[in-house]
Amino acid sequence: MTVEAGEPAPIATAVAGCIDKDMLARLQNSHPALFTRLIETYLRYAPELMSQLTAAAACNNHQLLRTMAHSLKSSSANVGATRLAEGCRELEHALNANPQADAPVLQPMVSGVEHDMAAALKELQAMTAAAHQRATVDAGEARSLDNRVRRLAAE
């Protein structure tokens, strides 16, 4: 597949793993600049949110844990990390239902969120690396074609 100069390289549209690739493809097609910024921002800041979430769980700081679960839920949903967003929603719901929930109740949920975060980051990083590689290859092909056209025009 060839992409015109200045157009974003498309991502795969199959839904696999923990990322909704169809949702991301729709976002990329409708708002290419926003798509790139959104994914890059998520990859930069989501690990810190996860770190704060696990620290809050370790300290039994339920208010901070609920806040971090809510933030991570929203940002993850925005990048198609649906399984991670759902795990965060369940954790947030459990804390809303039982503000004094103890560690044995919360720890499996926190562990699930950690697992889903690792998988989502890995999948998003792979997708963005592939998109950047395709964009680089397509840009090179466009330059090569442009050079051929210039040579033909000069003859």
Side-chain angles (χ1 to χ4, degrees), residues 35-90:
F35 168 80
T36 301
R37 225 174 41 234
L38 181 67
I39 300 300
E40 289 173 353
T41 300
Y42 183 83
L43 290 172
R44 188 177 314 121
Y45 294 106
E48 178 59 28
L49 289 175
M50 188 70 235
S51 177
Q52 291 177 15
L53 185 143
T54 56
C59 297
N60 287 321
N61 184 336
H62 291 129
Q63 183 176 356
L64 181 59
L65 182 58
R66 184 174 29 260
T67 300
M68 291 298 100
H70 180 80
S71 295
L72 196 54
K73 172 189 71 176
S74 301
S75 60
S76 297
N78 287 336
V79 297
T82 53
R83 192 170 66 205
L84 174 56
E86 179 61 20
C88 290
R89 187 197 67 75
E90 290 173 3

Short mmCIF file of all heavy atoms in Angstrom, two decimals, residues 35-90:
data_model
loop_
_atom_site.label_atom_id
_atom_site.label_comp_id
_atom_site.label_asym_id
_atom_site.label_seq_id
_atom_site.Cartn_x
_atom_site.Cartn_y
_atom_site.Cartn_z
N PHE A 35 -4.44 11.76 16.21
CA PHE A 35 -4.12 10.36 16.44
C PHE A 35 -2.67 10.21 16.92
O PHE A 35 -2.41 9.59 17.95
CB PHE A 35 -4.34 9.56 15.16
CG PHE A 35 -3.76 8.17 15.21
CD1 PHE A 35 -4.44 7.16 15.84
CD2 PHE A 35 -2.54 7.89 14.62
CE1 PHE A 35 -3.92 5.87 15.90
CE2 PHE A 35 -2.00 6.62 14.67
CZ PHE A 35 -2.70 5.61 15.31
N THR A 36 -1.75 10.77 16.18
CA THR A 36 -0.33 10.65 16.52
C THR A 36 -0.05 11.25 17.88
O THR A 36 0.62 10.64 18.73
CB THR A 36 0.53 11.33 15.44
OG1 THR A 36 0.26 10.70 14.19
CG2 THR A 36 2.00 11.20 15.76
N ARG A 37 -0.55 12.44 18.13
CA ARG A 37 -0.31 13.11 19.41
C ARG A 37 -0.92 12.33 20.57
O ARG A 37 -0.31 12.19 21.64
CB ARG A 37 -0.89 14.53 19.36
CG ARG A 37 0.04 15.56 19.91
CD ARG A 37 -0.39 17.00 19.77
NE ARG A 37 -1.79 17.24 20.02
CZ ARG A 37 -2.60 17.86 19.16
NH1 ARG A 37 -2.17 18.29 18.02
NH2 ARG A 37 -3.86 18.05 19.45
N LEU A 38 -2.11 11.80 20.36
CA LEU A 38 -2.81 11.05 21.41
C LEU A 38 -2.03 9.80 21.81
O LEU A 38 -1.80 9.55 23.00
CB LEU A 38 -4.21 10.67 20.93
CG LEU A 38 -5.08 9.90 21.91
CD1 LEU A 38 -5.44 10.78 23.09
CD2 LEU A 38 -6.34 9.44 21.20
N ILE A 39 -1.59 9.02 20.82
CA ILE A 39 -0.85 7.79 21.12
C ILE A 39 0.49 8.12 21.78
O ILE A 39 0.86 7.50 22.78
CB ILE A 39 -0.63 6.96 19.83
CG1 ILE A 39 -1.97 6.55 19.21
CG2 ILE A 39 0.23 5.73 20.13
CD1 ILE A 39 -2.87 5.72 20.07
N GLU A 40 1.20 9.08 21.24
CA GLU A 40 2.50 9.43 21.81
C GLU A 40 2.36 9.95 23.24
O GLU A 40 3.16 9.62 24.12
CB GLU A 40 3.21 10.46 20.93
CG GLU A 40 3.71 9.85 19.63
CD GLU A 40 4.27 10.88 18.65
OE1 GLU A 40 4.16 12.11 18.90
OE2 GLU A 40 4.81 10.43 17.61
N THR A 41 1.34 10.75 23.49
CA THR A 41 1.09 11.26 24.85
C THR A 41 0.75 10.12 25.79
O THR A 41 1.24 10.06 26.92
CB THR A 41 -0.03 12.32 24.82
OG1 THR A 41 0.37 13.39 23.96
CG2 THR A 41 -0.31 12.87 26.21
N TYR A 42 -0.09 9.22 25.33
CA TYR A 42 -0.47 8.07 26.17
C TYR A 42 0.77 7.24 26.53
O TYR A 42 0.98 6.88 27.69
CB TYR A 42 -1.50 7.20 25.46
CG TYR A 42 -1.97 6.05 26.30
CD1 TYR A 42 -2.97 6.22 27.25
CD2 TYR A 42 -1.41 4.78 26.17
CE1 TYR A 42 -3.41 5.17 28.03
CE2 TYR A 42 -1.84 3.72 26.95
CZ TYR A 42 -2.84 3.92 27.88
OH TYR A 42 -3.25 2.88 28.67
N LEU A 43 1.58 6.94 25.52
CA LEU A 43 2.78 6.13 25.77
C LEU A 43 3.74 6.84 26.72
O LEU A 43 4.47 6.19 27.47
CB LEU A 43 3.48 5.80 24.45
CG LEU A 43 2.75 4.81 23.55
CD1 LEU A 43 3.44 4.71 22.19
CD2 LEU A 43 2.63 3.45 24.21
N ARG A 44 3.74 8.15 26.72
CA ARG A 44 4.63 8.91 27.60
C ARG A 44 4.12 8.95 29.05
O ARG A 44 4.89 8.84 29.98
CB ARG A 44 4.80 10.34 27.06
CG ARG A 44 5.85 11.14 27.79
CD ARG A 44 6.07 12.55 27.21
NE ARG A 44 6.18 12.53 25.76
CZ ARG A 44 5.35 13.20 24.94
NH1 ARG A 44 4.39 13.95 25.41
NH2 ARG A 44 5.52 13.13 23.63
N TYR A 45 2.79 9.13 29.21
CA TYR A 45 2.27 9.39 30.56
C TYR A 45 1.55 8.22 31.23
O TYR A 45 1.45 8.20 32.46
CB TYR A 45 1.33 10.60 30.54
CG TYR A 45 2.07 11.87 30.22
CD1 TYR A 45 1.95 12.49 28.98
CD2 TYR A 45 2.94 12.44 31.15
CE1 TYR A 45 2.66 13.65 28.68
CE2 TYR A 45 3.65 13.59 30.85
CZ TYR A 45 3.50 14.18 29.62
OH TYR A 45 4.21 15.32 29.33
N ALA A 46 1.05 7.26 30.49
CA ALA A 46 0.32 6.14 31.10
C ALA A 46 1.17 5.34 32.08
O ALA A 46 0.67 4.94 33.14
CB ALA A 46 -0.27 5.24 30.03
N PRO A 47 2.46 5.10 31.79
CA PRO A 47 3.25 4.35 32.79
C PRO A 47 3.32 5.07 34.14
O PRO A 47 3.32 4.41 35.19
CB PRO A 47 4.63 4.24 32.14
CG PRO A 47 4.34 4.28 30.67
CD PRO A 47 3.21 5.27 30.53
N GLU A 48 3.35 6.39 34.13
CA GLU A 48 3.37 7.13 35.40
C GLU A 48 2.04 6.99 36.13
O GLU A 48 2.02 6.83 37.35
CB GLU A 48 3.69 8.61 35.15
CG GLU A 48 3.68 9.46 36.39
CD GLU A 48 4.66 9.02 37.49
OE1 GLU A 48 5.71 8.43 37.16
OE2 GLU A 48 4.37 9.26 38.68
N LEU A 49 0.94 7.03 35.40
CA LEU A 49 -0.37 6.81 36.03
C LEU A 49 -0.41 5.42 36.67
O LEU A 49 -0.92 5.24 37.78
CB LEU A 49 -1.50 6.95 35.02
CG LEU A 49 -1.82 8.34 34.50
CD1 LEU A 49 -2.89 8.28 33.41
CD2 LEU A 49 -2.28 9.25 35.63
N MET A 50 0.12 4.43 35.95
CA MET A 50 0.14 3.06 36.47
C MET A 50 1.00 2.99 37.72
O MET A 50 0.63 2.32 38.70
CB MET A 50 0.67 2.11 35.39
CG MET A 50 0.55 0.65 35.76
SD MET A 50 -1.15 0.09 35.78
CE MET A 50 -1.25 -0.56 37.43
N SER A 51 2.13 3.66 37.70
CA SER A 51 3.01 3.67 38.87
C SER A 51 2.30 4.29 40.08
O SER A 51 2.39 3.77 41.20
CB SER A 51 4.28 4.46 38.53
OG SER A 51 5.11 4.56 39.65
N GLN A 52 1.58 5.37 39.85
CA GLN A 52 0.83 6.01 40.94
C GLN A 52 -0.30 5.11 41.43
O GLN A 52 -0.57 5.05 42.63
CB GLN A 52 0.28 7.36 40.49
CG GLN A 52 1.37 8.40 40.27
CD GLN A 52 0.82 9.71 39.76
OE1 GLN A 52 -0.38 9.97 39.80
NE2 GLN A 52 1.70 10.55 39.25
N LEU A 53 -0.94 4.40 40.51
CA LEU A 53 -2.02 3.49 40.89
C LEU A 53 -1.47 2.37 41.78
O LEU A 53 -2.05 2.07 42.83
CB LEU A 53 -2.69 2.93 39.64
CG LEU A 53 -3.91 2.05 39.86
CD1 LEU A 53 -4.95 2.30 38.78
CD2 LEU A 53 -3.57 0.57 39.88
N THR A 54 -0.36 1.76 41.38
CA THR A 54 0.18 0.66 42.18
C THR A 54 0.71 1.16 43.53
O THR A 54 0.58 0.47 44.53
CB THR A 54 1.28 -0.11 41.42
OG1 THR A 54 2.30 0.78 41.01
CG2 THR A 54 0.71 -0.83 40.22
N ALA A 55 1.29 2.36 43.55
CA ALA A 55 1.76 2.93 44.82
C ALA A 55 0.58 3.20 45.75
O ALA A 55 0.65 2.93 46.95
CB ALA A 55 2.56 4.21 44.57
N ALA A 56 -0.51 3.72 45.19
CA ALA A 56 -1.71 3.98 46.00
C ALA A 56 -2.27 2.68 46.55
O ALA A 56 -2.70 2.62 47.72
CB ALA A 56 -2.76 4.71 45.17
N ALA A 57 -2.26 1.62 45.76
CA ALA A 57 -2.75 0.32 46.22
C ALA A 57 -1.85 -0.21 47.33
O ALA A 57 -2.35 -0.73 48.34
CB ALA A 57 -2.81 -0.67 45.07
N ALA A 58 -0.55 -0.07 47.17
CA ALA A 58 0.40 -0.57 48.18
C ALA A 58 0.24 0.16 49.51
O ALA A 58 0.45 -0.43 50.57
CB ALA A 58 1.83 -0.43 47.67
N CYS A 59 -0.15 1.43 49.45
CA CYS A 59 -0.31 2.24 50.67
C CYS A 59 -1.74 2.26 51.18
O CYS A 59 -2.05 2.97 52.13
CB CYS A 59 0.13 3.68 50.40
SG CYS A 59 1.85 3.84 49.98
N ASN A 60 -2.63 1.50 50.52
CA ASN A 60 -4.05 1.50 50.86
C ASN A 60 -4.66 2.90 50.82
O ASN A 60 -5.53 3.23 51.63
CB ASN A 60 -4.31 0.84 52.22
CG ASN A 60 -4.15 -0.65 52.16
OD1 ASN A 60 -4.55 -1.28 51.19
ND2 ASN A 60 -3.54 -1.22 53.18
N ASN A 61 -4.19 3.72 49.91
CA ASN A 61 -4.74 5.06 49.71
C ASN A 61 -5.88 4.93 48.70
O ASN A 61 -5.69 5.09 47.50
CB ASN A 61 -3.65 6.02 49.22
CG ASN A 61 -4.14 7.44 49.11
OD1 ASN A 61 -5.34 7.69 48.96
ND2 ASN A 61 -3.21 8.38 49.15
N HIS A 62 -7.07 4.64 49.21
CA HIS A 62 -8.20 4.35 48.34
C HIS A 62 -8.64 5.54 47.51
O HIS A 62 -9.08 5.37 46.37
CB HIS A 62 -9.38 3.80 49.15
CG HIS A 62 -9.09 2.44 49.70
ND1 HIS A 62 -9.26 2.13 51.02
CD2 HIS A 62 -8.62 1.32 49.12
CE1 HIS A 62 -8.91 0.87 51.23
NE2 HIS A 62 -8.53 0.36 50.09
N GLN A 63 -8.54 6.74 48.06
CA GLN A 63 -8.94 7.92 47.31
C GLN A 63 -8.03 8.11 46.09
O GLN A 63 -8.51 8.31 44.97
CB GLN A 63 -8.91 9.16 48.19
CG GLN A 63 -9.39 10.41 47.46
CD GLN A 63 -9.44 11.61 48.37
OE1 GLN A 63 -9.20 11.53 49.56
NE2 GLN A 63 -9.77 12.76 47.79
N LEU A 64 -6.73 8.02 46.29
CA LEU A 64 -5.80 8.15 45.18
C LEU A 64 -5.94 6.97 44.21
O LEU A 64 -5.88 7.16 42.99
CB LEU A 64 -4.35 8.25 45.68
CG LEU A 64 -3.28 8.42 44.60
CD1 LEU A 64 -3.52 9.67 43.77
CD2 LEU A 64 -1.89 8.45 45.25
N LEU A 65 -6.15 5.79 44.74
CA LEU A 65 -6.32 4.61 43.90
C LEU A 65 -7.54 4.79 42.98
O LEU A 65 -7.47 4.52 41.78
CB LEU A 65 -6.47 3.36 44.77
CG LEU A 65 -6.63 2.02 44.06
CD1 LEU A 65 -5.45 1.75 43.13
CD2 LEU A 65 -6.77 0.90 45.08
N ARG A 66 -8.63 5.27 43.54
CA ARG A 66 -9.85 5.51 42.74
C ARG A 66 -9.59 6.59 41.68
O ARG A 66 -9.97 6.44 40.52
CB ARG A 66 -11.01 5.93 43.65
CG ARG A 66 -12.31 6.09 42.95
CD ARG A 66 -13.52 6.38 43.88
NE ARG A 66 -13.23 7.05 45.12
CZ ARG A 66 -13.10 6.45 46.33
NH1 ARG A 66 -13.24 5.15 46.44
NH2 ARG A 66 -12.87 7.14 47.40
N THR A 67 -8.89 7.66 42.06
CA THR A 67 -8.57 8.74 41.12
C THR A 67 -7.69 8.24 39.98
O THR A 67 -7.92 8.55 38.80
CB THR A 67 -7.88 9.91 41.85
OG1 THR A 67 -8.78 10.40 42.85
CG2 THR A 67 -7.51 11.03 40.91
N MET A 68 -6.68 7.44 40.31
CA MET A 68 -5.78 6.93 39.28
C MET A 68 -6.49 5.93 38.38
O MET A 68 -6.29 5.91 37.17
CB MET A 68 -4.55 6.28 39.91
CG MET A 68 -3.60 7.26 40.59
SD MET A 68 -2.90 8.48 39.46
CE MET A 68 -3.93 9.90 39.80
N ALA A 69 -7.35 5.09 38.97
CA ALA A 69 -8.12 4.14 38.16
C ALA A 69 -9.03 4.89 37.19
O ALA A 69 -9.15 4.52 36.01
CB ALA A 69 -8.94 3.21 39.06
N HIS A 70 -9.65 5.97 37.66
CA HIS A 70 -10.53 6.77 36.80
C HIS A 70 -9.73 7.43 35.66
O HIS A 70 -10.15 7.38 34.50
CB HIS A 70 -11.23 7.85 37.64
CG HIS A 70 -12.14 8.71 36.83
ND1 HIS A 70 -13.40 8.32 36.45
CD2 HIS A 70 -11.95 9.95 36.30
CE1 HIS A 70 -13.95 9.27 35.73
NE2 HIS A 70 -13.08 10.28 35.62
N SER A 71 -8.60 8.02 35.99
CA SER A 71 -7.77 8.67 34.96
C SER A 71 -7.26 7.67 33.93
O SER A 71 -7.30 7.93 32.72
CB SER A 71 -6.58 9.38 35.60
OG SER A 71 -7.01 10.43 36.42
N LEU A 72 -6.79 6.54 34.41
CA LEU A 72 -6.26 5.52 33.51
C LEU A 72 -7.37 4.91 32.67
O LEU A 72 -7.17 4.59 31.49
CB LEU A 72 -5.53 4.45 34.33
CG LEU A 72 -4.61 3.52 33.58
CD1 LEU A 72 -3.58 4.29 32.77
CD2 LEU A 72 -3.89 2.61 34.57
N LYS A 73 -8.55 4.78 33.25
CA LYS A 73 -9.71 4.26 32.51
C LYS A 73 -10.01 5.16 31.32
O LYS A 73 -10.13 4.69 30.18
CB LYS A 73 -10.93 4.17 33.42
CG LYS A 73 -12.23 3.82 32.72
CD LYS A 73 -13.43 3.98 33.63
CE LYS A 73 -13.69 5.45 33.88
NZ LYS A 73 -14.88 5.71 34.68
N SER A 74 -10.10 6.44 31.56
CA SER A 74 -10.45 7.39 30.51
C SER A 74 -9.38 7.47 29.43
O SER A 74 -9.69 7.40 28.24
CB SER A 74 -10.67 8.78 31.10
OG SER A 74 -11.70 8.74 32.06
N SER A 75 -8.14 7.61 29.83
CA SER A 75 -7.07 7.74 28.84
C SER A 75 -6.89 6.45 28.04
O SER A 75 -6.62 6.50 26.83
CB SER A 75 -5.76 8.19 29.49
OG SER A 75 -5.33 7.28 30.46
N SER A 76 -7.06 5.32 28.68
CA SER A 76 -6.93 4.04 27.99
C SER A 76 -8.05 3.83 26.98
O SER A 76 -7.82 3.34 25.87
CB SER A 76 -6.89 2.89 28.99
OG SER A 76 -5.76 3.02 29.83
N ALA A 77 -9.26 4.21 27.35
CA ALA A 77 -10.38 4.10 26.42
C ALA A 77 -10.13 4.97 25.18
O ALA A 77 -10.47 4.58 24.06
CB ALA A 77 -11.68 4.51 27.11
N ASN A 78 -9.51 6.13 25.37
CA ASN A 78 -9.24 7.03 24.25
C ASN A 78 -8.26 6.47 23.23
O ASN A 78 -8.25 6.91 22.09
CB ASN A 78 -8.71 8.37 24.76
CG ASN A 78 -9.79 9.21 25.41
OD1 ASN A 78 -10.97 9.05 25.13
ND2 ASN A 78 -9.39 10.10 26.28
N VAL A 79 -7.42 5.52 23.64
CA VAL A 79 -6.46 4.93 22.70
C VAL A 79 -6.84 3.50 22.32
O VAL A 79 -6.03 2.77 21.76
CB VAL A 79 -5.01 4.98 23.24
CG1 VAL A 79 -4.55 6.41 23.43
CG2 VAL A 79 -4.84 4.17 24.50
N GLY A 80 -8.06 3.10 22.63
CA GLY A 80 -8.53 1.79 22.23
C GLY A 80 -8.10 0.65 23.13
O GLY A 80 -8.28 -0.51 22.78
N ALA A 81 -7.52 0.95 24.29
CA ALA A 81 -7.10 -0.10 25.22
C ALA A 81 -8.32 -0.50 26.05
O ALA A 81 -8.42 -0.20 27.24
CB ALA A 81 -5.95 0.39 26.10
N THR A 82 -9.24 -1.18 25.40
CA THR A 82 -10.55 -1.45 25.99
C THR A 82 -10.48 -2.41 27.18
O THR A 82 -11.20 -2.22 28.16
CB THR A 82 -11.51 -2.00 24.93
OG1 THR A 82 -10.91 -3.12 24.28
CG2 THR A 82 -11.82 -0.94 23.88
N ARG A 83 -9.64 -3.42 27.09
CA ARG A 83 -9.53 -4.37 28.21
C ARG A 83 -8.97 -3.68 29.45
O ARG A 83 -9.46 -3.87 30.57
CB ARG A 83 -8.68 -5.57 27.80
CG ARG A 83 -8.76 -6.72 28.78
CD ARG A 83 -8.12 -7.97 28.25
NE ARG A 83 -6.69 -7.80 28.09
CZ ARG A 83 -5.94 -8.49 27.25
NH1 ARG A 83 -6.49 -9.40 26.47
NH2 ARG A 83 -4.64 -8.30 27.19
N LEU A 84 -7.97 -2.83 29.25
CA LEU A 84 -7.39 -2.07 30.35
C LEU A 84 -8.41 -1.09 30.92
O LEU A 84 -8.56 -0.98 32.14
CB LEU A 84 -6.13 -1.33 29.88
CG LEU A 84 -5.48 -0.38 30.87
CD1 LEU A 84 -5.11 -1.09 32.16
CD2 LEU A 84 -4.24 0.26 30.23
N ALA A 85 -9.13 -0.40 30.06
CA ALA A 85 -10.15 0.55 30.51
C ALA A 85 -11.22 -0.17 31.33
O ALA A 85 -11.67 0.34 32.36
CB ALA A 85 -10.77 1.28 29.33
N GLU A 86 -11.60 -1.36 30.90
CA GLU A 86 -12.62 -2.13 31.63
C GLU A 86 -12.10 -2.56 33.00
O GLU A 86 -12.82 -2.50 34.00
CB GLU A 86 -13.06 -3.35 30.81
CG GLU A 86 -14.09 -4.22 31.50
CD GLU A 86 -15.40 -3.51 31.83
OE1 GLU A 86 -15.72 -2.47 31.24
OE2 GLU A 86 -16.12 -4.02 32.71
N GLY A 87 -10.85 -2.99 33.07
CA GLY A 87 -10.27 -3.36 34.37
C GLY A 87 -10.22 -2.17 35.32
O GLY A 87 -10.50 -2.31 36.52
N CYS A 88 -9.89 -1.01 34.80
CA CYS A 88 -9.87 0.21 35.62
C CYS A 88 -11.28 0.58 36.07
O CYS A 88 -11.48 1.02 37.20
CB CYS A 88 -9.25 1.37 34.84
SG CYS A 88 -7.48 1.18 34.56
N ARG A 89 -12.25 0.40 35.17
CA ARG A 89 -13.65 0.68 35.52
C ARG A 89 -14.11 -0.23 36.65
O ARG A 89 -14.76 0.21 37.61
CB ARG A 89 -14.57 0.50 34.30
CG ARG A 89 -16.01 0.95 34.58
CD ARG A 89 -16.99 0.41 33.56
NE ARG A 89 -17.14 -1.04 33.63
CZ ARG A 89 -17.81 -1.71 34.58
NH1 ARG A 89 -18.39 -1.06 35.56
NH2 ARG A 89 -17.88 -3.03 34.55
N GLU A 90 -13.75 -1.50 36.58
CA GLU A 90 -14.12 -2.45 37.63
C GLU A 90 -13.47 -2.09 38.96
O GLU A 90 -14.11 -2.16 40.01
CB GLU A 90 -13.75 -3.87 37.22
CG GLU A 90 -14.61 -4.41 36.09
CD GLU A 90 -14.13 -5.74 35.56
OE1 GLU A 90 -13.15 -6.32 36.09
OE2 GLU A 90 -14.75 -6.23 34.59
#
